[in-house]
Amino acid sequence: MRGRTASPPANRRRLTLGGQTNEGRRAVSDQRGGSPTLEMVAALAGVSRATVSRVVNNSPKVSVRVVERVNEAIASLNYVPNRAARTLASRRTRTIALVMPESTAKLFSDPFLASVTQGIALHLADTDYTLTMLIASDDTPEKTQRYLLGGNVDGALVVSHHSGDHSLGEVSRTLPVVFGGRPLAAGGALTYYVDVDNYGGARAATEHLLGRGLRQHGTIAGPQDMPPGLDRLAGWRDALDAEGLDSTLVECGDFTPESGAAAMIRMLDRGRPLDALFVANDQMAAGVYSVLHERGLAIPANIAVVGFDDNFYGATATPPLTTVRQPSNEMGAKMAEVLVRVIEQRDVPRVTVLPTELVVRGSAG
Amino acid sequence: MRGRTASPPANRRRLTLGGQTNEGRRAVSDQRGGSPTLEMVAALAGVSRATVSRVVNNSPKVSVRVVERVNEAIASLNYVPNRAARTLASRRTRTIALVMPESTAKLFSDPFLASVTQGIALHLADTDYTLTMLIASDDTPEKTQRYLLGGNVDGALVVSHHSGDHSLGEVSRTLPVVFGGRPLAAGGALTYYVDVDNYGGARAATEHLLGRGLRQHGTIAGPQDMPPGLDRLAGWRDALDAEGLDSTLVECGDFTPESGAAAMIRMLDRGRPLDALFVANDQMAAGVYSVLHERGLAIPANIAVVGFDDNFYGATATPPLTTVRQPSNEMGAKMAEVLVRVIEQRDVPRVTVLPTELVVRGSAG
DNA sequence: CTGAAAGCGCTAACAG
DNA sequence: CTGTTAGCGCTTTCAG
């Protein structure tokens, strides 16, 4: 039915395909593992390539009978559409970049980040988007930017603790971008982001300590150039201020256990009374624990401690750490969901804040 | 210089492009952010598209002068080759899949895996390969297989704790695949893999314990259906057997802190004397610590403990954990390196084993 | 060493 | 609802 020699000019491209060249290609394909093409499906189903394409893309305007026939052909041939061809023709890559600043990648072992990433990957697995990991080298931001803007992806997800990279702020004016965590130098109301309620969590943690009658508070805060660091400190401060208590016993770390230990030592050396401590993340709390143990200070008898994150190390510490659980997985999933909506031009709020939850354990019963 | 009207048939495709249609497209491009095309570079440099392509692909047979001219054009136009087009034409995707079984993804917070992933990503960032993350759903292995074999990637990297997935073994006969960790049901000498010296590390750990004069050994082993679990147990056993000591005090966990705690309780309940314990990973060691503390058993005074992994939690535990450091980052990098070599058909050994190193700390001075 | 020509596999108007 | 027709942007023989 499609073997008839076409009448138009003889040097047209498709003609070659209809002739023996087709056989020639077949041989090559075979030895290469030869993925079946849309054209082969069309031939088997007895329809045009356009129709097969429509079926593959779930176009509503194809008769049920044909859809069925095509799907059978697809199944029997084990056909898989070629991504590159699809992208080239449609200008949609169906690819989303997971951008991670190099400095962040180095801290990848951070369970929180890993968990967010996992949430993203798991959510995307159910869509037909593919996730590509992009390490944004700190010293060649143009390379990243070029890649992102080079039509290689439909959108980008940015996870980082040093949130709010400038170069990416620019990118977000051209490409759909969703940030994980409030960007620092937010590009105004122009960026999309998903965050956890750092302020609320910190405040709840502190109020819990307050509820136990504790009055001498201190906090090991996170870096003050990172939104989570800022927001958690603010939550702690406001909870204390509301009670008219002192909120000046603050030492900052950088979210690593070592920095937590160092900050704790500095705080203790200030010699001020202390019976309640809020630590801005569980990793630093681990550092705090070791210092407190060394100094012979009992938790929570001498000092009650509350952390932030809820990774499993806190749960198995001695005593188990009271902490603020943040829905890291959900955060990743939400980021992916928001981005897909933006890409598909569907309606979606620019800011999404996920609730945190206080998990009470032995360190601040 | 290239403006002359072509002489062949008037209904050829390129002709349309040369005419006003070109202008038409330009308008469209401009409003879309219009990435410059190879054709534009060619025009600016006054050469053919083929030549530009050669330059872009570092073909050695282009005169220096032309290379220079083309590169200038590329720079001034800020040209970035279109991946999809490249892939379609060359049949090389320059994309590598990072395959992670869903069950593994759920445990992604495992610092070891995160670190391997990081090593992979960092290594690939220096090549022109792109990394795409693929979660292999446990219940639809065909989907994954189809994707991998559908010509979407040039090769795959498989990381998992349940190493040696069957479906992937098949894939590896058609697509270059490198496994992280010795595959369980190895497809014979046919698979490539990079592993750390689990056996050697476990043996060294045990010999260290032996060197301290300890004689009553026990081990919390990993799952016995996973190569690392098997290999570490074998190393422990052989070290003991070589000294003619008993090697039957074994309890297995599944690498989680909880399972480590449970296994420790079972072991203690067996009521056998014990003064040296080798735990197959640091996470389980965390569980072991909490149980030992509860029972009032001092580390290392009553029982010396050695773990395996060396994540930072072990370092900040009380007492700091003596453990076997495995080069997780390097493992990832090596996997990527091996895969790239396989893809590029360069010579590379099927098996690569990275050395482990004993880190002596307080838990087994 | 360089150019011309022919597609890679798919989508997207545009006609029926 | 379905087929026809042009390409998407790049690589790759094949001739010079």
Side-chain angles (χ1 to χ4, degrees):
Chain A
M1 45 193 96
R2 53 186 285 287
R4 274 162 62 219
T5 319
S7 24
N11 57 352
R12 289 291 262 341
R13 177 178 151 233
R14 282 298 162 204
L15 271 199
T16 332
L17 249 183
Q20 51 128 15
T21 306
N22 204 2
E23 305 297 338
R25 270 212 295 118
R26 229 187 165 334
V28 175
S29 310
D30 281 354
Q31 88 192 37
R32 204 208 75 95
S35 303
T37 70
L38 184 153
E39 177 152 32
M40 295 164 69
V41 175
L44 185 63
V47 298
S48 74
R49 284 154 54 222
T51 298
V52 177
S53 175
R54 288 190 187 101
V55 173
V56 169
N57 293 295
N58 295 311
S59 162
K61 35 188 189 172
V62 184
S63 73
V64 216
R65 297 201 40 216
V66 174
V67 170
E68 206 168 277
R69 201 137 43 91
V70 172
N71 278 329
E72 272 166 24
I74 287 179
S76 84
L77 248 40
N78 219 308
Y79 167 76
V80 187
N82 178 308
R83 260 189 116 76
R86 229 132 96 102
T87 296
L88 190 53
S90 69
R91 287 149 160 315
R92 290 190 48 207
T93 62
R94 289 147 207 266
T95 293
I96 285 175
L98 172 61
V99 184
M100 190 176 307
E102 191 172 19
S103 46
T104 300
K106 297 243 168 77
L107 293 174
F108 197 19
S109 5
D110 176 345
F112 175 70
L113 270 185
S115 181
V116 171
T117 302
Q118 179 197 126
I120 292 172
L122 252 23
H123 179 89
L124 252 26
D126 289 334
T127 70
D128 69 332
Y129 284 92
T130 250
L131 217 215
T132 117
M133 254 177 96
L134 199 58
I135 304 281
S137 155
D138 300 312
D139 32 73
T140 51
E142 335 81 49
K143 195 186 159 197
T144 308
Q145 213 177 114
R146 213 168 280 196
Y147 181 83
L148 291 178
L149 264 23
N152 293 303
V153 298
D154 289 345
L157 255 15
V158 183
V159 296
S160 160
H161 266 339
H162 305 175
S163 336
D165 210 305
H166 300 88
S167 52
L168 292 172
E170 265 193 46
V171 169
S172 73
R173 279 209 296 271
T174 314
L175 185 81
V177 175
V178 173
F179 291 87
R182 174 166 75 79
L184 193 56
L190 294 167
T191 56
Y192 288 86
Y193 72 83
V194 176
D195 202 356
V196 296
D197 188 6
N198 288 302
Y199 176 88
R203 183 148 187 169
T206 311
E207 281 163 355
H208 173 74
L209 254 13
L210 251 12
R212 300 199 66 225
L214 273 8
R215 288 294 174 264
Q216 323 278 10
H217 290 72
T219 186
I220 305 292
Q224 293 305 296
D225 56 348
M226 285 159 69
L230 289 166
D231 297 348
R232 291 175 198 174
L233 177 56
W236 175 79
R237 220 163 232 159
D238 287 1
L240 256 26
D241 290 353
E243 294 287 310
L245 291 177
D246 176 85
S247 61
T248 60
L249 192 52
V250 179
E251 288 293 339
C252 295
D254 65 5
F255 284 149
T256 63
E258 300 75 33
S259 75
M264 187 71 244
I265 290 174
R266 287 198 304 276
M267 182 174 293
L268 255 18
D269 288 353
R270 282 166 71 170
R272 293 186 31 193
L274 171 69
D275 59 17
L277 183 69
F278 168 59
V279 188
N281 84 334
D282 286 4
Q283 295 193 65
M284 290 199 296
V288 165
Y289 263 52
S290 61
V291 171
L292 258 25
H293 275 131
E294 254 167 39
R295 303 266 178 131
L297 290 165
I299 306 172
N302 300 136
I303 301 180
V305 178
V306 179
F308 203 114
D309 263 2
D310 193 26
N311 56 38
F312 45 51
Y313 291 96
T316 57
T318 327
L321 183 67
T322 291
T323 190
V324 179
R325 193 184 92 79
Q326 40 180 345
S328 41
N329 242 280
E330 292 83 340
M331 176 165 161
K334 201 70 189 174
M335 286 175 68
E337 188 190 325
V338 170
L339 181 57
V340 169
R341 288 185 106 91
V342 176
I343 290 174
E344 295 176 352
Q345 320 218 30
R346 286 190 281 143
D347 190 46
V348 55
R350 303 205 95 107
V351 177
T352 308
V353 175
L354 269 21
T356 51
E357 173 196 2
L358 184 70
V359 180
V360 179
R361 288 195 280 248
S363 72
Chain B
M1 42 201 94
R2 53 185 286 286
R4 276 164 58 219
T5 318
S7 22
N11 59 349
R12 292 294 264 339
R13 177 178 152 234
R14 282 297 162 204
L15 270 202
T16 330
L17 250 183
Q20 52 128 18
T21 304
N22 203 3
E23 305 299 337
R25 270 211 295 115
R26 209 145 190 4
V28 175
S29 308
D30 281 354
Q31 87 191 42
R32 204 206 77 93
S35 303
T37 70
L38 185 153
E39 178 153 29
M40 295 164 68
V41 175
L44 185 64
V47 298
S48 73
R49 284 154 56 221
T51 298
V52 177
S53 176
R54 289 189 187 100
V55 173
V56 168
N57 293 295
N58 293 312
S59 162
K61 33 186 190 171
V62 182
S63 72
V64 217
R65 299 201 39 217
V66 174
V67 170
E68 207 169 280
R69 200 138 42 92
V70 171
N71 278 329
E72 271 165 23
I74 288 180
S76 84
L77 249 41
N78 220 306
Y79 167 76
V80 186
N82 176 308
R83 257 189 120 77
R86 228 133 90 108
T87 296
L88 189 54
S90 68
R91 302 173 137 301
R92 290 188 50 207
T93 63
R94 290 148 207 264
T95 292
I96 285 176
L98 171 61
V99 185
M100 188 174 311
E102 190 171 18
S103 45
T104 299
K106 297 243 169 76
L107 293 172
F108 197 20
S109 7
D110 178 344
F112 176 70
L113 271 184
S115 180
V116 171
T117 302
Q118 178 197 126
I120 292 172
L122 252 22
H123 179 90
L124 253 26
D126 289 333
T127 70
D128 69 332
Y129 284 91
T130 251
L131 218 214
T132 117
M133 252 178 97
L134 201 57
I135 304 282
S137 152
D138 299 314
D139 32 72
T140 49
E142 335 82 48
K143 194 187 159 198
T144 308
Q145 212 175 116
R146 213 167 282 194
Y147 181 82
L148 291 178
L149 264 22
N152 294 303
V153 298
D154 289 344
L157 255 15
V158 184
V159 297
S160 160
H161 266 340
H162 305 174
S163 336
D165 211 304
H166 300 88
S167 52
L168 293 173
E170 265 193 46
V171 170
S172 73
R173 279 207 297 272
T174 313
L175 184 79
V177 175
V178 172
F179 291 88
R182 173 166 75 79
L184 193 55
L190 295 167
T191 56
Y192 288 86
Y193 72 83
V194 175
D195 203 356
V196 296
D197 188 6
N198 288 303
Y199 176 89
R203 184 148 186 170
T206 312
E207 281 163 355
H208 173 73
L209 256 8
L210 252 11
R212 301 200 65 225
L214 275 7
R215 288 293 174 266
Q216 323 278 10
H217 290 73
T219 186
I220 305 293
Q224 293 305 295
D225 56 348
M226 284 157 68
L230 289 166
D231 297 348
R232 291 174 197 175
L233 178 56
W236 175 79
R237 220 162 230 158
D238 287 1
L240 257 26
D241 290 354
E243 294 287 309
L245 292 178
D246 177 85
S247 62
T248 60
L249 191 53
V250 178
E251 288 294 340
C252 295
D254 65 6
F255 284 149
T256 62
E258 300 75 35
S259 76
M264 188 71 243
I265 289 174
R266 288 198 306 275
M267 181 174 292
L268 255 18
D269 289 351
R270 282 165 72 170
R272 293 182 37 190
L274 170 69
D275 59 15
L277 183 69
F278 168 59
V279 188
N281 82 335
D282 286 4
Q283 295 194 65
M284 291 199 295
V288 165
Y289 263 51
S290 62
V291 172
L292 257 26
H293 275 133
E294 254 167 40
R295 303 266 180 133
L297 290 164
I299 306 172
N302 299 135
I303 301 181
V305 178
V306 179
F308 204 113
D309 264 3
D310 193 27
N311 55 38
F312 44 50
Y313 291 97
T316 56
T318 327
L321 184 66
T322 290
T323 189
V324 179
R325 192 183 92 79
Q326 40 180 343
S328 42
N329 240 281
E330 292 83 338
M331 176 164 162
K334 201 72 188 173
M335 285 175 68
E337 187 189 326
V338 170
L339 181 57
V340 169
R341 288 186 105 92
V342 176
I343 290 174
E344 295 176 353
Q345 319 220 29
R346 285 189 282 144
D347 191 45
V348 55
R350 304 206 92 106
V351 178
T352 307
V353 176
L354 268 21
T356 50
E357 173 198 0
L358 186 69
V359 179
V360 179
R361 288 195 279 247
S363 73

